Amino acid sequence: MRFAFRHFPLTEIHPHALAASAAAEAAAVQDRFWEMHELLFHHQRALEDDDLRGYAAELDLDVALFDRDRIDAAVLRRIGRDVDSGLASRQVLGTPTLFIDGVLHQGGYAAAELLAALTR
């Protein structure tokens, strides 16, 4: 099994989604992507710049480097590639979107449903 995470910030619905994606990628530069991802997920209503910098500090990141990386062209290109890939699939319309064996999963996300889909 392979799990692949892709960014697909829905900026029309979540105005800070792109900033959150950039924060996660900036944390990835310092090998803390998943830790930042978890903080962002649990604090979806607190994604202003000061909040993001606070999460970086909480994770003991180099905050100055984090600030540079979250506006870095390479980070923004990475997010853009993910968005472009989702749009090109014509199947990614929101988040989360799951594919199992290359097929769009249209069921629920409860563990039992996902396990059943994986064993089909």
Side-chain angles (χ1 to χ4, degrees), residues 7 69 85 89 118:
H7 294 281
D69 287 337
S85 173
S89 78
L118 289 170

Side-chain angles (χ1 to χ4, degrees), residues 3-8 21 24-25 33-34 37 78 82:
F3 176 81
F5 179 90
R6 300 287 186 267
H7 294 281
F8 200 75
S21 290
E25 284 301 318
F33 175 87
W34 289 111
H37 179 274
R78 159 89 166 111
D82 286 356

Side-chain angles (χ1 to χ4, degrees), residues 6-48:
R6 300 287 186 267
H7 294 281
F8 200 75
L10 302 171
T11 55
E12 304 83 24
I13 300 169
H14 306 289
H16 299 294
L18 181 58
S21 290
E25 284 301 318
V29 173
Q30 297 182 54
D31 297 319
R32 302 299 297 271
F33 175 87
W34 289 111
E35 294 92 333
M36 179 62 82
H37 179 274
E38 184 171 346
L39 281 172
L40 297 171
F41 181 79
H42 289 293
H43 300 284
Q44 293 179 37
R45 298 197 187 280
L47 298 174
E48 299 287 342

Side-chain angles (χ1 to χ4, degrees), residues 73-105:
V75 163
L76 299 176
R77 278 193 306 272
R78 159 89 166 111
I79 296 164
R81 279 193 309 269
D82 286 356
V83 170
D84 290 347
S85 173
L87 293 172
S89 78
R90 297 188 179 171
Q91 296 182 71
V92 177
L93 303 175
T95 59
T97 299
L98 298 178
F99 292 86
I100 298 174
D101 288 334
V103 177
L104 178 66
H105 173 68

Side-chain angles (χ1 to χ4, degrees), residues 15-16 19-20 23 40 43-55 66 70:
H16 299 294
L40 297 171
H43 300 284
Q44 293 179 37
R45 298 197 187 280
L47 298 174
E48 299 287 342
D49 277 349
D50 286 344
D51 300 314
L52 300 175
R53 295 180 91 248
Y55 304 144
F66 171 81
R70 66 189 173 117

